[in-house]
Amino acid sequence: MAREDQLFASVKFLVDTAIPEQARNELHETLSYQGGHSASTVFDATHIITNTLDFEGHHDFEQGKAVAVT
């Protein structure tokens, strides 16, 4: 359970599969350590971490409901 003083306590992140596996794992570990929670779909995410705006699920992405971080 995330503490409120953790940097990413209110973040539900989705790391795009276009990012290399090792980098995805490192991002997941770092964000989780700081209180972030992994989202299973773009619908559940508050932040989508990607290296392209053509990420998996971008057609379902609703601007304003989540932030795409490149």
Side-chain angles (χ1 to χ4, degrees), residues 16-67:
D16 185 31
T17 57
I19 294 177
E21 183 177 8
Q22 182 175 349
R24 282 195 322 265
N25 292 339
E26 290 171 1
L27 285 164
H28 188 276
E29 182 178 325
T30 301
L31 292 168
S32 295
Y33 180 77
Q34 287 297 325
H37 302 277
S38 181
S40 56
T41 69
V42 294
F43 299 111
D44 298 329
T46 60
H47 294 75
I48 300 163
I49 302 164
T50 181
N51 58 1
T52 176
L53 293 179
D54 191 24
F55 56 89
E56 184 177 338
H58 74 279
H59 294 292
D60 299 322
F61 176 69
E62 293 184 43
Q63 193 96 27
K65 290 200 168 209
V67 176

